[in-house]
């Protein structure tokens, strides 16, 4: 409400191994090592950056896969209170003392666990788990609030779940694996019609135009809403009512699973076509609209040196179609 932007950070991983203590993520991603290096930061309206909460679980894949990082994956506000969701917690991520969970963050940085996501996904398997790309503790990527409830997306298992912030009860809304297989859903947004809209990443290597946005009714009925997207890691409705999505990568080049510098933000039009809003972005991994009506995008979200993470603003005051709005650094 104060116009500040809150950013979930994955951290820098760690060296703690839990091999022999619990089920591990299969190679080549696993086994992970863990640590307490993830955090949440605040960017004030003057551009200054401060830490809101730190010492949160972070996990790192094997060196053979580039040492990719999981940590705090998303944040949201509900009734003026800050909530976050973890993807780097759990024994299979080298953090046996902290499961993947929904957390509440107090103004003084105190962290309280609201719901245990690791326990829920382990007790409630999906219809068609993907054995070769299985995460025992999940890698929850998105959290939003709607109607006094919290909603999370679990990419690895492929679900949209509801979290009651008062009781911590988790309820499954939709299991994408049952009808769509291992599509790796990522982010959820709520439309004016009361339905949920869920984007998906797909699997590596990236295939241009292979992914979709799905509509999910409150009772869990899934249908395809839009097609032709590529590796989507964000989703939000704009002030104009349009649905916007950042695509992490265009078609892969050479031996890479994705093509650096080919990310973009698109608007999904009523006829299903995609209008490019900003192009040439380096691995965009999140997006939100600010109170100024502009888009804020996290870039260098992975595959970049430590400290290279950046937030850019996409200025929408320039008419779409005349030229591409500029993405300028914020922090």
């Amino acid at each position: 409400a104060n116009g500040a932007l809150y950013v979930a950070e994955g951290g820098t991983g760690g060296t703690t191994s839990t091999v022999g203590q619990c089920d591990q993520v299969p190679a080549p991603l696993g086994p992970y090592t863990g640590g307490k290096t993830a955090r949440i930061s605040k960017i004030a309206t003057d551009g200054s950056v401060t830490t809101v909460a730190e010492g949160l679980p972070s996990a790192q894949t094997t060196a053979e896969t580039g040492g990719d990082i999981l940590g705090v994956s998303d944040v949201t506000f509900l009734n003026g209170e800050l909530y976050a969701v973890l993807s780097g917690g759990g024994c299979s991520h080298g953090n046996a003392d902290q499961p993947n969970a929904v957390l509440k963050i107090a103004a003084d940085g105190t962290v309280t666990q609201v719901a245990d996501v690791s326990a829920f996904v382990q007790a409630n398997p999906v219809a068609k788990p993907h054995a070769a790309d299985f995460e025992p503790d999940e890698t929850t990527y998105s959290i939003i609030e709607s109607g006094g409830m919290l909603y999370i997306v679990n990419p690895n298992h492929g679900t949209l779940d509801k979290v009651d912030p008062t009781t911590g009860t988790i309820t499954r809304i939709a299991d994408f694996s049952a009808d769509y297989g291992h599509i790796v859903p990522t982010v959820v947004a709520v439309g004016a019609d009361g339905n949920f809209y869920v984007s998906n990443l797909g699997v590596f290597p990236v295939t241009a135009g292979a992914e979709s946005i799905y509509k999910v009714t409150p009772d869990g009925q899934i249908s395809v809403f839009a097609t032709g997207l590529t590796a989507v890691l964000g989703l939000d409705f704009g002030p104009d009512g349009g649905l916007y999505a950042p695509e992490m990568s265009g078609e892969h080049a050479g031996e890479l699973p994705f093509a650096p510098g080919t990310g973009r933000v698109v608007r999904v039009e009523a006829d299903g076509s995609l209008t490019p809003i900003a192009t040439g972005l380096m691995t965009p991994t999140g997006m939100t609209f600010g109170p100024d009506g502009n888009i804020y995008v996290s870039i260098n979200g992975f595959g970049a040196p430590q400290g290279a993470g950046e937030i850019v603003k996409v200025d929408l005051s320039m008419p779409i179609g005349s030229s591409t709005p500029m993405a300028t650094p914020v922090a």
Side-chain angles (χ1 to χ4, degrees), residues 273-292:
S273 62
L274 305 177
T275 299
I277 303 299
T279 59
L281 300 176
M282 182 66 74
T283 57
T285 52
M287 185 195 81
T288 190
F289 276 88
D292 57 2

Side-chain angles (χ1 to χ4, degrees), residues 72-90:
V72 185
S73 52
D74 199 11
V75 293
T76 193
F77 279 91
L78 173 60
N79 297 327
E81 296 183 299
L82 178 63
Y83 290 82
V85 69
L86 298 175
S87 60

Side-chain angles (χ1 to χ4, degrees), residues 47-270:
S48 60
V49 182
T50 55
T51 299
V52 175
E54 57 188 343
L56 297 168
S58 178
Q60 187 169 359
T61 63
T62 61
E64 289 77 10
T65 58
D68 200 21
I69 302 292
L70 304 173
V72 185
S73 52
D74 199 11
V75 293
T76 193
F77 279 91
L78 173 60
N79 297 327
E81 296 183 299
L82 178 63
Y83 290 82
V85 69
L86 298 175
S87 60
C91 185
S92 67
H93 294 143
N95 289 300
D97 60 340
Q98 171 62 66
N100 271 338
V102 173
L103 308 175
K104 181 190 287 187
I105 315 298
D108 64 358
T110 301
V111 178
T112 304
Q113 181 172 301
V114 173
D116 188 330
V117 176
S118 290
F120 178 79
V121 297
Q122 290 165 10
N124 297 273
V126 295
K128 297 178 182 178
H130 195 279
D133 187 23
F134 187 72
E135 295 271 355
D137 289 284
E138 244 310 339
T139 54
T140 312
Y141 195 75
S142 171
I143 184 170
I144 64 168
E145 68 83 19
S146 180
M149 293 289 150
L150 299 168
Y151 293 86
I152 60 175
V153 176
N154 293 313
N156 184 265
H157 294 223
T159 66
L160 171 65
D161 296 333
K162 179 175 72 174
V163 179
D164 187 321
T166 302
T167 65
T169 302
I170 304 177
T171 306
R172 180 139 301 151
I173 302 298
D175 177 359
F176 290 89
S177 79
D179 294 320
Y180 296 96
H182 190 53
I183 62 169
V184 193
T186 49
V187 178
V188 58
V190 178
D193 58 2
N195 291 311
F196 301 99
Y197 293 81
V198 180
S199 62
N200 81 298
L201 172 67
V203 297
F204 285 163
V206 169
T207 301
E211 313 313 334
S212 302
I213 295 173
Y214 300 82
K215 182 173 75 172
V216 183
T217 62
D219 64 354
Q221 299 301 309
I222 306 172
S223 59
V224 176
F225 175 74
T227 60
L229 292 101
T230 304
V232 182
L233 287 175
L235 202 63
D236 202 5
F237 283 93
D240 60 358
L243 186 57
Y244 292 74
E247 298 177 309
M248 182 269 289
S249 174
E251 191 170 6
H252 72 285
E255 299 301 316
L256 291 174
F258 60 94
T262 64
R264 64 178 188 169
V265 176
V266 298
R267 184 175 65 201
V268 182
E269 306 296 353

